[in-house]
């Protein structure tokens, strides 16, 4: 036994394990330390004792019991709270991680396991050449999906070898932050804006990046569609509760991978978490546009978001068109000016749809607020009797719609005036049946007041629908986004409007198409293969002239038009309630939804939010809105931090501007999303 005098009365033994590859070398070391020794001194003592010559610069101390890194090397052991019972691991900060991208491709690369997830995602996106990394995050696969995969692997007699794209030579793997490379905004256009291929003048830029031209094509192009059998084996959420469970796996952006139990060579999903795709530009964003398209495509195929049969056929036609162009040599042709103009127009519509960009025509916003006036039919659903359908004279002004018995009585008091600010607007359209309806769910004291407006034709529907959508966001028709919104609705209706031509019927015999690959399982069970192929080819007539990038943008746009687009679900229990509800979180609002019926109960807009906070002791989120409205709830399907981060994240993203450079205010993000646990 060593006498106290040998080391001094204040010293004690600290056990440190070393994570190195050499099996023959000693793995555990005992250091004699004092409480006032700083972390850097501990590492120096350890390296001296290991007596192995190698680069230790990427190594740091990990405290296993506390699940935290000891990265502040100037802090003393006392200040960190490290005592003799602590188990420390001396390990590398950068480790291998497998990432499943939205296009279902797996990449393997080295990332920092000691940096917060927000920073890790930023570094990953620089390697993959995806701008606006703040829109993405890392997701753990749901338990249901893992169980289904294990069952599939068990049934397979032959082991499935996964095709993994290795990006181990990335700048991040050496512990350095990724260089801007292709990511730089100030460079010349790096992609052909029509086909999405790397522009010939910039191929040489790939030499310093792990993204070779070939790897870039893997990420920027849509590849052969999976088989119907593969689709059937993938996990599909059936209920709102299933969809809510998908969101339980989002990693905490304010903590590191190691702190959240992620181990070396684990697999995570890289996904677009926030549905506000800002400043999309085909000249820089071929990979980003393709990955958004792929995430949208899988959301449709796996029915994570609901759509009508008519809409499903449009999505199928666009997928078929994109897969044809992706495998065709035609995509290599350089675009003409008119094609680029069409894409620019589609992009401006896309930005308006997301409230991401503002057009420069300010004069429209300061003129007199226009109004709409026309005969529409009003439909009020009744629980115990037939629906009441009557024509009225409707007047739409500001953010309100009023209706009168006829034109003559419009100078007097209306029968009813409805304020649409904060309401839910849902399309109720069947182009083939000439049905153009607008479903309005208007917040009232005890829930939502449901009514329908029926229009006569596409043009009338587009004008009134655009006015309703803007009014729900608190905007009037004087806003510069009104006309692009009308144009977007009309272009979507045009895609839906097709007729069966004899050419399409004959084409089904000649075309090598697997229609089951383009629609969800529900429709493969409903129709025979030839019937599906014929209907997809019908719909394809309206999109067959689109370029590759334009078709992807239209697909994204159509996805955004769906009522459930951008909603992330959580199972919650509201304060004072005896039953569970579903909370839908979107980029501009929160929706309380009945878990049994799926009907919206109440909507709260972020624009009316005064403040929100979290009681970390009881894990309760409390939010205050205008007009003395306040809500509080606990989250049952995930940690309340997940919802808190979603709300703060969307508010953070709403502060972005094209006028600013692309450097992010990371401090503001953590201030809005981090919380004080």
């Amino acid at each position: 036994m060593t006498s106290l005098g040998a080391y001094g009365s204040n010293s004690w033994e600290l056990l440190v394990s070393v994570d190195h590859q050499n099996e023959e070398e000693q793995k555990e070391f005992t250091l004699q330390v004092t409480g006032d020794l700083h972390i850097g001194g501990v590492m120096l003592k350890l390296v001296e004792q290991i007596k192995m010559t190698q680069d230790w610069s990427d190594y740091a101390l990990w405290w296993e019991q506390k699940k935290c890194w000891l990265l502040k090397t100037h802090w003393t052991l006392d200040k960190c709270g490290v005592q003799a019972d602590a188990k420390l691991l001396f390990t590398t900060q950068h480790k291998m991680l497998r990432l499943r991208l939205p296009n279902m491709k797996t990449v393997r690369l080295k990332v920092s396991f000691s940096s917060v997830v927000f920073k890790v995602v930023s570094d990953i996106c620089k390697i993959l050449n995806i701008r606006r990394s703040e829109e993405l995050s890392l997701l753990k696969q749901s338990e249901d999906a893992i169980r289904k995969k294990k069952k599939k692997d068990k049934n397979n007699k032959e082991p499935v070898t996964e095709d993994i794209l290795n990006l181990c030579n990335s700048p991040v793997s050496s512990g350095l932050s990724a260089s801007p490379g292709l990511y730089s905004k100030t460079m010349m256009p790096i992609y052909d804006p029509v086909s999405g291929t790397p522009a010939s003048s910039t191929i040489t830029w790939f030499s310093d990046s792990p993204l070779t031209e070939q790897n870039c094509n893997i990420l920027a192009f849509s590849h052969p569609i999976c088989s119907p059998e593969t689709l059937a084996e993938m996990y599909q959420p059936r209920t709102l509760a299933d969809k809510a469970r998908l969101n339980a796996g989002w990693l905490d952006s304010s903590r590191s991978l190691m702190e959240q139990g992620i181990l070396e060579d684990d697999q995570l999903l890289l996904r677009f978490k926030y549905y506000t795709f800002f400043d999309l530009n085909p000249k820089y964003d071929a990979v980003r546009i393709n990955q958004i398209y792929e995430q949208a495509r899988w959301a449709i195929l796996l029915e994570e978001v609901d759509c009508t049969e008519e809409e499903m056929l449009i999505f199928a036609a666009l997928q078929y068109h994109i897969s044809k162009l992706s495998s065709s040599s035609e995509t290599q042709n350089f675009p003409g000016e008119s094609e680029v103009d069409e894409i620019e127009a589609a992009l401006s519509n896309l930005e308006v749809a997301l409230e991401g960009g503002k057009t420069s025509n300010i004069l429209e916003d300061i003129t007199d607020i226009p109004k709409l006036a026309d005969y529409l039919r009003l439909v009020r659903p009744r629980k115990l009797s037939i629906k009441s359908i009557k024509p009225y004279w409707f007047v739409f002004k500001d953010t309100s719609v009023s209706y009168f018995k006829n034109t003559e009585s419009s100078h007097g008091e209306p029968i009813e005036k409805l304020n649409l600010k904060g309401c839910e607007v849902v399309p109720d359209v069947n182009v083939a049946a000439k049905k153009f309806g607008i479903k309005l769910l208007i917040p009232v004291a005890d829930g939502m007041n449901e009514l329908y407006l029926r229009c006569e034709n596409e043009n009338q529907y587009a004008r009134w629908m655009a006015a309703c959508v803007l009014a729900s966001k608190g905007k009037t028709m004087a806003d510069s986004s009104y006309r692009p919104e009308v144009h977007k609705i009309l272009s979507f209706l045009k895609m839906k409007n097709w007729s069966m031509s004899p050419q399409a019927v004959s084409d089904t015999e000649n075309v090598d198409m697997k229609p089951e690959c383009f629609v969800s399982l529900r429709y493969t069970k409903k129709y025979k293969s030839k019937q599906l192929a014929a209907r997809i080819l019908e719909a394809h007539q309206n999109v067959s002239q689109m370029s590759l990038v334009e078709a992807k943008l239209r697909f994204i746009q159509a996805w955004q038009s769906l009522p459930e687009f951008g909603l992330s679900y959580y199972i919650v229990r509201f304060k004072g309630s005896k039953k569970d509800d579903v909370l839908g979180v979107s980029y501009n609002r929160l929706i309380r939804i009945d878990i049994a019926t799926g009907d919206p109960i109440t909507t709260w807009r972020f624009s009316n939010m005064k403040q929100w906070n979290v009681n970390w002791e009881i894990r309760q989120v409390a939010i205050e809105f205008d007009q003395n409205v306040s809500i509080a709830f606990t989250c049952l399907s995930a940690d309340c931090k997940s919802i808190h981060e979603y709300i703060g994240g969307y508010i953070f993203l709403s502060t972005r501007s094209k006028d600013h450079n692309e450097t992010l205010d990371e401090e503001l993000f953590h201030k809005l999303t981090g919380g004080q646990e």
Side-chain angles (χ1 to χ4, degrees):
M1 202 172 156
T2 313
S3 66
L4 287 175
Y7 296 106
S9 57
N10 294 328
S11 70
W12 39 274
E13 291 182 344
L14 178 65
L15 185 68
V16 183
S17 301
V18 179
D19 180 18
H20 59 67
Q21 302 303 315
N22 195 334
E23 294 295 328
E24 297 173 7
E25 295 293 332
Q26 185 181 343
K27 294 281 188 181
E28 287 193 350
F29 295 86
T30 303
L31 305 180
Q32 200 72 26
V33 297
T34 56
D36 59 1
L37 181 64
H38 52 76
I39 299 298
V42 174
M43 292 196 290
L44 186 62
K45 265 193 171 197
L46 180 62
V47 170
E48 285 172 353
Q49 201 166 318
I50 294 171
K51 294 176 183 172
M52 263 179 68
T53 307
Q54 72 169 70
D55 182 3
W56 299 101
S57 60
D58 190 41
Y59 278 70
L61 288 170
W62 167 257
W63 190 354
E64 290 187 22
Q65 294 106 314
K66 296 279 185 180
K67 299 285 181 200
C68 70
W69 288 94
L70 302 177
L71 297 175
K72 293 178 178 171
T73 52
H74 60 285
W75 278 26
T76 63
L77 291 172
D78 282 345
K79 190 169 183 179
C80 293
V82 176
Q83 295 178 342
D85 61 345
K87 288 182 182 176
L88 302 185
L89 175 68
F90 193 50
T91 185
T92 52
Q93 296 175 66
H94 289 80
K95 301 176 188 292
M96 298 307 297
L97 185 70
R98 286 177 298 131
L99 285 178
R100 196 96 183 267
L101 305 182
N103 67 346
M104 300 300 173
K105 292 284 178 189
T106 301
V107 297
R108 191 166 179 267
L109 68 176
K110 216 169 214 181
V111 301
S112 171
F113 273 58
S114 61
S115 300
V116 295
V117 165
F118 186 82
K119 177 74 170 63
V120 171
V121 172
S122 174
D123 288 343
I124 290 167
C125 287
K126 282 175 182 172
I127 296 168
L128 301 180
N129 198 26
I130 298 174
R131 292 194 311 147
R132 304 291 177 187
S133 63
E134 66 275 13
E135 295 166 0
L136 297 94
S137 193
L138 299 175
L139 180 70
K140 280 193 277 194
Q141 265 190 309
S142 70
E143 292 297 322
D144 297 313
I146 293 168
R147 274 198 297 272
K148 186 147 190 177
K149 187 178 185 303
K150 281 181 181 173
K151 188 179 176 184
K152 172 191 161 187
D153 293 344
K154 194 177 176 182
N155 295 337
N156 279 345
K157 291 178 183 176
E158 292 182 19
V160 180
T161 53
E162 194 175 17
D163 184 23
I164 295 178
L165 176 63
N166 245 317
L167 299 178
C168 304
N169 300 324
S170 65
V172 174
S173 57
S174 61
L176 304 169
S177 61
S179 60
L182 286 170
Y183 188 82
S184 174
K185 185 182 177 182
T186 56
M187 279 179 52
M188 292 167 56
I190 58 173
Y191 294 107
D192 178 328
V194 170
S195 69
T197 55
S200 56
S201 59
T202 58
I203 293 298
T204 52
W205 290 94
F206 286 105
S207 58
D208 297 329
S209 166
L211 267 187
T212 61
E213 183 187 350
Q214 182 185 359
N215 290 346
C216 179
N217 285 345
I218 290 171
L219 302 180
F221 276 92
S222 192
H223 294 278
I225 308 296
C226 73
S227 67
E229 294 76 28
T230 308
L231 190 62
E233 287 166 350
M234 294 180 77
Y235 174 68
Q236 288 184 254
R238 300 291 179 193
T239 63
L240 275 177
D242 289 343
K243 292 177 184 179
R245 278 191 281 274
L246 295 176
N247 288 307
W250 288 113
L251 295 190
D252 185 337
S253 296
S254 306
R255 295 164 66 209
S256 71
L257 292 171
M258 283 272 275
E259 287 170 327
Q260 298 180 71
I262 307 302
L263 304 174
E264 183 164 18
D265 224 32
D266 276 0
Q267 179 166 291
L268 294 173
L269 311 179
L270 180 69
R271 293 290 182 268
F272 289 88
K273 178 178 180 178
Y274 300 102
Y275 297 88
T276 50
F277 313 125
F278 186 64
D279 187 26
L280 275 177
N281 188 332
K283 294 171 187 174
Y284 303 102
D285 290 326
V287 174
R288 184 174 167 218
I289 288 169
N290 186 58
Q291 295 299 331
I292 294 172
Y293 158 70
E294 287 285 350
Q295 186 161 325
R297 185 170 78 83
W298 285 106
I300 299 294
L301 291 177
L302 298 175
E303 296 188 17
E304 289 173 13
V305 58
D306 289 336
C307 64
T308 64
E309 187 172 312
E310 197 175 47
E311 288 160 347
M312 181 63 78
L313 289 169
I314 290 172
F315 288 124
L318 284 166
Q319 285 177 77
Y320 170 62
H321 185 62
I322 289 164
S323 70
K324 263 179 69 177
L325 290 182
S326 297
S327 57
S328 160
S329 58
E330 290 170 10
T331 58
Q332 305 304 320
N333 296 338
F334 198 78
E337 284 298 317
S338 61
E339 290 174 306
V340 177
D341 289 344
E342 284 176 23
I343 292 170
E344 294 290 348
L347 274 169
S348 69
N349 289 342
L350 196 59
E351 283 181 353
V352 166
L354 292 163
E355 296 186 332
K358 298 282 185 288
T359 56
S360 57
N361 192 352
I362 299 164
L363 289 174
E364 285 184 40
D365 292 342
I366 56 175
T367 52
D368 291 334
I369 295 172
K371 70 175 185 178
L372 287 174
D374 213 339
Y375 275 107
L376 302 175
R377 281 171 295 157
L378 178 69
V379 184
R380 281 191 183 277
R382 292 181 179 171
K383 290 179 181 176
L384 301 174
S385 63
I386 300 169
K387 285 181 181 178
S388 161
I389 306 177
K390 289 184 181 178
Y392 292 100
W393 180 255
F394 279 81
V395 176
F396 202 125
K397 191 163 185 185
D398 293 329
T399 58
S400 299
V401 62
S402 308
Y403 61 94
F404 307 84
K405 192 173 181 180
N406 48 41
T407 323
E408 292 74 30
S409 60
S410 63
H411 301 292
E413 285 293 310
I415 297 170
E416 191 177 8
K417 185 176 181 179
L418 306 165
N419 185 359
L420 302 190
K421 192 175 178 182
C423 77
E424 289 297 305
V425 183
V426 183
D428 182 34
V429 174
N430 186 325
V431 176
K434 300 292 180 189
K435 177 186 175 184
F436 303 101
I438 303 167
K439 180 181 177 181
L440 298 173
L441 295 162
I442 301 165
V444 288
D446 57 344
M448 302 286 261
N449 187 6
E450 182 181 329
L451 56 90
Y452 294 77
L453 304 181
R454 290 275 170 85
C455 303
E456 291 298 319
N457 53 50
E458 291 101 322
N459 289 323
Q460 187 187 52
Y461 168 79
R463 293 196 306 272
W464 284 81
M465 183 67 179
C468 290
V469 168
L470 262 66
S472 71
K473 300 171 185 173
K475 296 179 180 181
T476 70
M477 286 177 283
D479 191 88
S480 58
S481 61
Y482 174 68
R483 286 181 189 172
E485 184 70 27
V486 173
H487 177 74
K488 185 191 83 168
I489 293 166
L490 283 171
S491 66
F492 191 38
L493 289 176
K494 187 183 173 186
M495 282 199 291
K496 286 185 175 185
N497 189 15
W498 65 79
S499 56
M500 189 65 164
S501 69
Q503 179 69 32
V505 177
S506 63
D507 281 353
T508 55
E509 302 296 328
N510 308 323
V511 171
D512 180 23
M513 183 208 289
K514 290 183 179 174
E516 300 86 355
C517 299
F518 302 114
V519 295
S520 65
L521 288 173
R522 189 193 319 179
Y523 296 101
T524 57
K525 291 173 184 174
K526 187 175 178 181
Y527 294 105
K528 290 178 181 175
S529 185
K530 278 191 176 179
Q531 290 175 309
L532 268 178
R535 297 195 70 187
I536 291 169
L537 286 172
E538 280 177 59
H540 181 248
Q541 293 172 73
N542 284 345
V543 301
S544 59
Q545 300 306 309
M546 290 181 186
S547 68
L548 181 58
V549 175
E550 187 190 355
K552 287 179 183 177
L553 290 171
R554 286 298 175 90
F555 191 100
I556 295 166
Q557 207 172 63
W559 177 45
Q560 290 169 313
S561 302
L562 299 177
E564 288 185 14
F565 164 75
L567 279 174
S568 303
Y569 300 103
Y570 289 91
I571 299 171
V572 299
R573 175 73 62 90
F574 279 87
K575 190 177 179 180
S577 174
K578 292 182 179 177
K579 68 183 187 73
D580 299 345
D581 286 303
V582 170
L583 185 73
V585 184
S586 180
Y587 72 97
N588 60 357
R589 67 201 190 282
L590 299 172
I591 308 174
R592 184 177 181 176
I593 302 166
D594 188 298
I595 197 167
T597 63
D599 294 334
I601 301 170
T602 320
T603 298
W604 303 279
R605 298 232 159 224
F606 290 158
S607 55
N608 299 330
M609 189 190 293
K610 288 166 74 175
Q611 67 170 28
W612 86 99
N613 57 67
V614 181
N615 183 329
W616 296 109
E617 286 182 18
I618 58 172
R619 318 301 286 179
Q620 185 181 76
V621 182
I623 310 174
E624 279 184 44
F625 297 92
D626 292 340
Q627 300 174 332
N628 298 321
V629 174
S630 60
I631 59 171
F633 56 83
T634 51
C635 187
L636 306 177
S637 61
D639 192 282
C640 67
K641 171 69 166 69
S642 186
I643 293 184
H644 169 60
E645 188 173 308
Y646 246 126
I647 296 169
Y650 273 127
I651 290 169
F652 170 74
L653 295 184
S654 70
T655 65
R656 295 181 297 180
S657 166
K658 273 189 180 178
D659 302 332
H660 298 157
N661 60 26
E662 289 186 14
T663 53
L664 282 173
D665 187 347
E666 193 174 336
E667 191 181 334
L668 177 62
F669 176 83
H670 290 303
K671 193 174 177 182
L672 288 168
T673 63
Q676 300 296 321
E677 294 197 52

